[in-house]
Amino acid sequence: METAQQLDKPSLGNNDAAKDKAINERDAMTQDTPYPDQTVGQPFVDNPKMRLRDVEVFYADNQAIHGVSLDIGKNEVVSLIGPSGCGKSTFLRCLNRMNDTIDICRVKGDLHLEGQDLYDPKLDVVELRARVGMVFQKPNPFPKSIYDNVAYGPRIHGLANKKYDLDEIVENSLRKAGLWDEVKDRLHASGTGLSGGQQQRLCIARTIAVSPEVVLMDEPCSALDPIATAKIEELISELSESYTIAIVTHSMQQAARVSHRTAYFHLGRLVEMNDTETVFTKPEHDLTEAYITGRFG
Ligand SMILES: Nc1ncnc2c1ncn2[C@@H]1O[C@H](COP(=O)(O)OP(=O)(O)OP(=O)(O)O)[C@@H](O)[C@H]1O
């Protein structure tokens, strides 16, 4: 078994003092704690929507993800948690090949969306990103009208033949994102003029307008106030009736509130994955327990 001490310390993109302190605390805490040979808990499910095996990710020579295997079930909400720099966002970005946009990044392993190999060189990545949509940390509406933000994807994917069909997609998407009542009278106003929480719901509407099967969310509430956060969390629960969702979050309370299963990452390893209640009340691994009890952050 490897210990944290024996592993290369990953370098963080943003080396501010708080991150360095968190890393030092994490390393002190994990010095003598062996990683499990295999992820503990229940990383696999029957008939998964996404089947991910032996995933390894490298940024040039720095390995950020080490042999991670897990499933994401249909209509399941899975949270990815762990200390800063443990690889949550890197792993999430593998699921719709957003890492392709980073030149030095290489991904290895078997990653499947139902029968589809995500890294099949013949795969159309634009189509993949319609099937596996993504909502980012910072709301990023296009500098276009509210209507055009939502209509953009359906237009480029040819999902509506008539104006009437497009109107219907825009309305349904805004309704599902819980934004319709707030914007129905100003659909042609700029999306960037909305509040932060509204912009994030607009981005969710834009993502679901192309009828994705999976929605990836990378810290979707970190730029929002508690009221806007509560709205997004409520929305995640509603959306899970129609979509499969994977969410990266720094908030353990949020993971506990919104997800069915939770995956605990540590220095690029998946230490434990279990139903969310077990992770937060009876974690099986010492590293998970140390993290959820706040012994490092
Ligand atoms: N674009 C990049 N280029 C080089 N290295 C990167 C890049 N993005 C991430 N890394 C490295 O990969 C490792 C994992 O980073 P990642 O951002 O995935 O972690 P994280 O758990 O999401 O962190 P945080 O919670 O701080 O957002 C870190 O060592 C980081 O420095």
Coordinates of all heavy atoms in Angstrom, one line a residue, residues 6 45 50 66 78 95 101 104 107 114 121 125 128 131 142-143 170 183 188 206 213 219 225 231 237 261 280:
Q6 N 4.4 8.8 0.3 CA 5.2 8.2 -0.8 C 4.8 8.8 -2.1 O 5.4 8.4 -3.1 CB 5.0 6.7 -0.8 CG 5.7 6.1 0.5 CD 5.2 4.7 0.7 OE1 4.0 4.4 0.6 NE2 6.1 3.8 1.1
V45 N -22.7 0.1 -9.6 CA -24.1 -0.1 -9.5 C -24.5 -1.0 -10.7 O -23.7 -1.2 -11.6 CB -25.0 1.2 -9.6 CG1 -24.6 2.1 -8.4 CG2 -24.7 1.9 -10.9
M50 N -23.1 5.7 -16.6 CA -21.7 5.9 -17.0 C -20.9 4.8 -16.2 O -21.0 4.7 -15.0 CB -21.2 7.3 -16.6 CG -21.9 8.4 -17.4 SD -21.1 10.0 -17.3 CE -20.3 10.0 -18.9
H66 N -5.4 8.7 -10.4 CA -4.7 7.4 -10.4 C -5.7 6.3 -10.3 O -6.3 6.0 -9.3 CB -3.8 7.3 -9.1 CG -2.7 8.3 -9.0 ND1 -1.4 8.1 -9.2 CD2 -2.8 9.7 -8.7 CE1 -0.7 9.2 -9.0 NE2 -1.5 10.2 -8.7
V78 N -24.6 12.0 -8.0 CA -23.4 11.6 -7.4 C -22.6 12.9 -7.1 O -22.4 13.7 -7.9 CB -22.6 10.7 -8.3 CG1 -21.1 10.6 -7.9 CG2 -23.2 9.3 -8.4
L95 N -15.5 13.3 -18.2 CA -16.8 12.7 -18.5 C -17.5 13.3 -19.7 O -18.4 12.7 -20.3 CB -17.7 12.7 -17.3 CG -17.1 12.2 -16.0 CD1 -18.2 12.1 -14.9 CD2 -16.5 10.8 -16.2
T101 N -9.6 20.1 -24.1 CA -9.3 21.5 -24.4 C -8.0 22.0 -23.7 O -7.5 23.1 -24.0 CB -10.4 22.5 -23.9 OG1 -10.5 22.3 -22.5 CG2 -11.7 22.1 -24.6
I104 N -1.9 19.9 -22.5 CA -0.9 19.0 -21.8 C -1.6 17.9 -21.1 O -1.0 17.0 -20.5 CB -0.1 19.8 -20.8 CG1 -0.9 20.4 -19.7 CG2 0.9 20.7 -21.5 CD1 -0.1 21.0 -18.6
V107 N -5.7 11.5 -21.0 CA -6.7 10.7 -20.2 C -6.5 9.3 -20.7 O -6.5 9.0 -21.9 CB -8.1 11.2 -20.4 CG1 -9.1 10.3 -19.7 CG2 -8.3 12.6 -20.0
E114 N -23.3 4.5 -21.3 CA -24.0 3.3 -21.8 C -23.1 2.6 -22.7 O -21.9 2.3 -22.3 CB -25.4 3.7 -22.4 CG -26.2 4.3 -21.2 CD -27.7 4.4 -21.5 OE1 -28.1 4.9 -22.5 OE2 -28.4 4.0 -20.5
P121 N -11.9 7.6 -31.0 CA -11.5 8.7 -31.8 C -12.5 9.2 -32.8 O -12.5 10.3 -33.3 CB -10.2 8.2 -32.5 CG -9.9 6.9 -31.9 CD -11.0 6.4 -31.0
V125 N -17.3 15.0 -30.7 CA -17.2 15.5 -29.3 C -18.4 16.6 -29.0 O -18.9 16.7 -27.9 CB -15.8 16.1 -29.0 CG1 -15.8 16.7 -27.6 CG2 -14.8 15.1 -29.1
L128 N -21.3 14.6 -28.1 CA -21.1 14.1 -26.8 C -21.4 15.1 -25.7 O -22.1 14.8 -24.8 CB -19.6 13.6 -26.6 CG -19.2 13.3 -25.1 CD1 -20.0 12.0 -24.6 CD2 -17.8 13.0 -24.9
R131 N -24.9 15.3 -25.1 CA -25.5 14.2 -24.3 C -25.0 14.4 -22.9 O -25.7 13.9 -21.9 CB -25.0 12.9 -24.9 CG -25.6 12.5 -26.2 CD -25.1 11.1 -26.6 NE -25.6 10.0 -25.8 CZ -25.2 8.8 -25.9 NH1 -24.3 8.4 -26.8 NH2 -25.7 7.8 -25.2
F142 N -24.0 33.5 -22.5 CA -23.5 34.2 -23.6 C -24.0 35.7 -23.6 O -25.1 35.9 -23.0 CB -24.0 33.6 -24.9 CG -23.7 32.1 -25.1 CD1 -24.7 31.2 -25.5 CD2 -22.4 31.6 -24.8 CE1 -24.4 29.9 -25.7 CE2 -22.2 30.3 -25.0 CZ -23.2 29.4 -25.4
P143 N -23.3 36.6 -24.2 CA -23.7 38.0 -24.2 C -24.8 38.1 -25.3 O -24.7 38.8 -26.3 CB -22.5 38.8 -24.6 CG -21.6 37.8 -25.3 CD -21.9 36.4 -24.8
V170 N -37.6 26.5 -25.5 CA -37.0 27.6 -24.6 C -37.9 27.7 -23.3 O -37.4 27.7 -22.2 CB -37.0 28.9 -25.3 CG1 -36.7 30.1 -24.4 CG2 -35.9 28.9 -26.4
V183 N -38.5 35.5 -15.8 CA -38.0 36.1 -17.1 C -39.0 36.1 -18.3 O -38.7 36.6 -19.3 CB -36.7 35.4 -17.6 CG1 -35.6 35.5 -16.5 CG2 -36.9 33.9 -17.9
H188 N -36.2 38.9 -24.2 CA -35.2 39.4 -25.2 C -34.3 40.4 -24.5 O -33.4 41.0 -25.2 CB -36.0 40.0 -26.4 CG -36.7 38.9 -27.1 ND1 -36.1 38.0 -27.8 CD2 -38.0 38.6 -27.1 CE1 -37.0 37.1 -28.3 NE2 -38.1 37.4 -27.8
R206 N -29.9 26.4 -20.4 CA -29.2 26.3 -21.7 C -28.6 24.8 -21.9 O -28.7 24.3 -22.9 CB -28.0 27.3 -21.7 CG -27.2 27.3 -23.0 CD -26.2 28.4 -22.9 NE -25.1 28.0 -22.0 CZ -24.1 28.9 -21.6 NH1 -24.1 30.1 -22.0 NH2 -23.2 28.5 -20.8
E213 N -28.4 13.6 -21.4 CA -28.7 12.5 -20.6 C -28.0 12.7 -19.2 O -28.5 12.2 -18.2 CB -28.2 11.2 -21.2 CG -28.9 10.9 -22.5 CD -28.2 10.0 -23.4 OE1 -27.8 8.9 -23.0 OE2 -27.9 10.3 -24.6
E219 N -18.9 22.7 -9.0 CA -19.1 23.7 -8.0 C -20.1 24.8 -8.4 O -19.8 26.0 -8.5 CB -17.8 24.4 -7.6 CG -16.8 23.4 -6.9 CD -15.6 24.2 -6.4 OE1 -15.8 25.2 -5.7 OE2 -14.5 23.7 -6.8
D225 N -25.1 33.3 -3.5 CA -25.5 33.5 -2.1 C -26.4 32.4 -1.6 O -26.8 31.5 -2.4 CB -26.2 34.9 -1.9 CG -27.5 35.0 -2.6 OD1 -28.2 34.0 -2.8 OD2 -27.8 36.1 -3.1
K231 N -32.0 27.5 -4.1 CA -32.8 27.3 -5.3 C -32.1 26.3 -6.2 O -32.8 25.4 -6.8 CB -33.0 28.6 -6.1 CG -34.0 29.5 -5.4 CD -34.5 30.5 -6.4 CE -35.7 31.3 -5.8 NZ -35.8 32.6 -6.2
S237 N -32.4 18.4 -7.2 CA -33.3 17.2 -6.8 C -34.4 17.0 -7.9 O -34.7 15.9 -8.3 CB -33.9 17.5 -5.5 OG -32.9 17.7 -4.5
R261 N -25.3 9.2 -3.9 CA -24.0 8.6 -3.5 C -22.9 9.7 -3.5 O -23.0 10.6 -4.3 CB -23.6 7.4 -4.4 CG -24.3 6.1 -4.0 CD -23.8 4.9 -4.8 NE -23.7 5.2 -6.2 CZ -22.8 4.8 -7.0 NH1 -21.8 4.1 -6.5 NH2 -22.8 5.1 -8.3
F280 N -21.3 10.2 5.3 CA -21.3 11.3 6.3 C -21.6 10.9 7.7 O -21.4 11.6 8.7 CB -22.3 12.4 5.9 CG -21.8 13.2 4.7 CD1 -22.4 13.1 3.5 CD2 -20.6 14.0 4.8 CE1 -21.9 13.7 2.4 CE2 -20.1 14.6 3.7 CZ -20.7 14.5 2.5

